[in-house]
Amino acid sequence: MEKKNKIFVEREIYEKDGKQYFSYFVKATIRGKDVKITVAPQSANSGIVDKNGYAVFDIVFGNENKLELITTPFEMKDATGHIIKGKTFSVKSVDENGQVYECQVKPFKSSDKALLNMLI
């Protein structure tokens, strides 16, 4: 059963080694517990975080600090013919000229994946 409330990916600045970076996350309350679900850029290689993907995040977010999480269901058959169902996640924005910027995202750690699945 899909939740109907909109879910947002937010970003905030943090400092490391004297430099400023953004962290990307979803804030939620699950069974009365406040959680912060970290998301990362989706890499073409499963299980690998694409460090250059953060530059893409910066472009997609532009001047915004909050974008809606877009959930897209998928279905495919594996080599044995079993059907695998799941969801992909992305964020997108549109600039003042109508140009669309979009980037896939994924939960950063397995605990983030579990929390996101509970939320969705």
Side-chain angles (χ1 to χ4, degrees):
M1 182 171 159
E2 295 281 327
K3 300 228 177 188
K4 296 186 184 194
N5 295 335
K6 289 184 178 184
I7 299 170
F8 292 93
V9 175
E10 300 179 53
R11 71 176 180 176
E12 67 184 4
I13 295 174
Y14 71 95
E15 283 196 34
K16 182 178 178 183
D17 300 327
K19 293 184 180 181
Q20 290 188 336
Y21 302 94
F22 283 110
S23 64
Y24 296 86
F25 55 88
V26 172
K27 284 185 184 176
T29 302
I30 300 172
R31 295 187 85 180
K33 180 156 181 71
D34 292 335
V35 295
K36 194 173 185 179
I37 305 165
T38 305
V39 296
Q42 179 69 48
S43 175
N45 298 325
S46 182
I48 298 172
V49 174
D50 180 358
K51 300 275 188 221
N52 288 327
Y54 288 100
V56 176
F57 268 0
D58 289 344
I59 292 168
V60 173
F61 272 79
N63 294 323
E64 301 295 322
N65 285 321
K66 186 176 181 179
L67 293 175
E68 185 177 355
L69 179 70
I70 300 165
T71 305
T72 306
F74 71 86
E75 192 175 293
M76 64 182 189
K77 285 186 182 181
D78 67 10
T80 64
H82 291 100
I83 296 175
I84 299 170
K85 294 181 181 183
K87 293 176 177 47
T88 61
F89 305 102
S90 61
V91 290
K92 81 174 175 180
S93 63
V94 181
D95 71 11
E96 62 279 355
N97 298 318
Q99 176 70 38
V100 176
Y101 299 91
E102 188 169 1
C103 178
Q104 284 194 330
V105 301
K106 68 176 187 174
F108 188 67
K109 296 179 183 174
S110 58
S111 58
D112 295 312
K113 181 177 181 179
L115 289 168
L116 194 56
N117 285 333
M118 288 178 204
L119 184 61
I120 307 249

